Amino acid sequence: MHADGLRLAPFRGLRYAPERVSSLAAVTSPPYDVVVRPDQVHQLETADPYNIVRLILPQTADPTARHRQAADTLHEWEAEGVLTRDETPALYVYEQRRGEILQRGLIGALRLTAPEERVVLPHEDVMPQVVEDRLALMRETAANLEPLLLSYRGDGTATGATAVIERAARRSPLLTTTTSDGFAHRLWSVTDPAELAEADADLAARRALIGDGHHRWATYLRLRAEQPDRPAWQYGLVLLVDTARYPLQVSAIHRVLPRLAPQDALGTLGDAFRVRPVPGPLPAALAVLDETPGNAFLLTGGPEEYHLLDRPAPGLLASAIRQDRPAAWRRLDATVLHAALLDAVWGVPDRASDIQYLHSAEAAVAKATQTGGTAVLMRPTPESEVRELAEQGVTMPRKSTSFGPKPATGLVLRTLDDRA
């Protein structure tokens, strides 16, 4: 238990007025880093003229004007009454449900803490250029447009913050909608002082793992340092989920190397890995990957041909991987991929033009086909391993994991103009 842990403050949420949009589902979006294709941005923009993607991923002919445009759009929508501010500061109970998947948590303004306080635990490195982009957007809009996904380990019982959540879920929601991915979303507000105090007392003894949003967390900390005298900037919008009560789903994030042709990728391996062809289709090839012990990856340049890489050469691992890190870190697939394959064997530069990250295996294969490059398909890292390393202060290679389900962007926003 942390002596002074998570402090989640209520805020006056900025939300869409349902009567001003075609539907709530039509104005939501996945998180900004999941919307990776231009056609996805276009689809969201055309779903409704007020879709949130116009704020999180603004499109302009002049790239330097993007963030200013997002700020102007946000202010216009609020002035027009498309976005309206709740009267009373609240924590928001948020539920996502699809089939047997049920996730509930609390959305609020989390007190930002320095990394050395070990209250919020990152588990991945970040890319400086992405932080700079999110920083410019948040500076211009003076808003947190989408919540980070954080998990904490509660007692697994309906007490404290979880009790507040489950009582709220028995009341009528503020909103309900179902998005195109099949998830049903519900949102409730918690404004009762006794319930707010109950949640605060529980969370104040806990710390959290960043599930999704490392770049935005790094951005929050930059903004906090820039605005030390402005109270609102000392907090950041998050969704907190008790993973003991509502376990998160952990998925892999795949790599596409658009400038490395599959024949070159395979031809330069030598004895670095054992290489075997694997029959498709993609689900069958992924099943083989999942069942392979030790470090393993699935390589493909398109849907017709797959190769399994496993059994990396011990000498390669010894020379390529840092030995001053815990054994659990040295064994990670992401560690072996970046240190041994991308750096030592293939010499792929660590830049956006040479390595692309996709959450969907199908999208990664399609991107490799389109570019003539190579897709490297990965397996997820169990949450227990992620948390173990994070608690030791050890970060994994960037984009090692994808926690979910991720909160839909656009259901509730938070502005930083110091209004409660």
Side-chain angles (χ1 to χ4, degrees), residues 76-127:
E76 289 169 7
W77 290 357
E78 188 172 4
E80 295 169 6
V82 175
L83 290 170
T84 61
R85 193 180 302 272
D86 289 335
E87 290 295 325
T88 305
L91 295 180
Y92 296 86
V93 171
Y94 177 46
E95 177 188 278
Q96 295 163 275
R97 185 191 295 266
R98 185 179 68 187
E100 296 182 355
I101 299 174
L102 172 63
Q103 180 171 285
R104 289 174 178 159
L106 279 175
I107 294 177
L110 184 67
R111 178 181 65 95
L112 304 177
T113 52
E116 58 268 20
E117 294 184 51
R118 310 288 298 146
V119 175
V120 174
L121 306 174
H123 69 268
E124 290 180 353
D125 295 330
V126 297
M127 293 176 273

Side-chain angles (χ1 to χ4, degrees), residues 17-102:
E19 68 277 7
R20 295 297 307 275
V21 298
S22 58
S23 72
L24 289 175
V27 295
T28 62
S29 165
Y32 80 97
D33 57 341
V34 178
V35 184
V36 295
R37 301 196 314 268
D39 62 313
Q40 287 179 294
V41 174
H42 178 71
Q43 289 169 7
L44 291 164
E45 286 181 330
T46 56
D48 187 284
Y50 298 112
N51 188 282
I52 194 70
V53 78
R54 295 180 185 274
L55 301 184
I56 62 171
L57 290 172
Q59 305 295 303
T60 60
D62 177 6
T64 64
R66 291 187 303 113
H67 304 118
R68 183 68 257 163
Q69 176 176 289
D72 292 342
T73 301
L74 174 61
H75 299 150
E76 289 169 7
W77 290 357
E78 188 172 4
E80 295 169 6
V82 175
L83 290 170
T84 61
R85 193 180 302 272
D86 289 335
E87 290 295 325
T88 305
L91 295 180
Y92 296 86
V93 171
Y94 177 46
E95 177 188 278
Q96 295 163 275
R97 185 191 295 266
R98 185 179 68 187
E100 296 182 355
I101 299 174
L102 172 63

Side-chain angles (χ1 to χ4, degrees), residues 269 272-273 297 312-313 316-321 333-347:
L269 283 172
F273 283 78
F297 312 97
L316 172 64
L317 299 183
S319 63
I321 294 176
D333 282 348
T335 298
V336 173
L337 172 66
H338 282 265
L341 259 178
L342 296 179
D343 293 348
V345 175
W346 289 333

Side-chain angles (χ1 to χ4, degrees), residues 240-254:
L240 274 175
V241 174
D242 176 1
T243 193
R245 189 75 171 178
Y246 299 105
L248 298 180
Q249 313 294 308
V250 187
S251 303
I253 301 180
H254 311 286

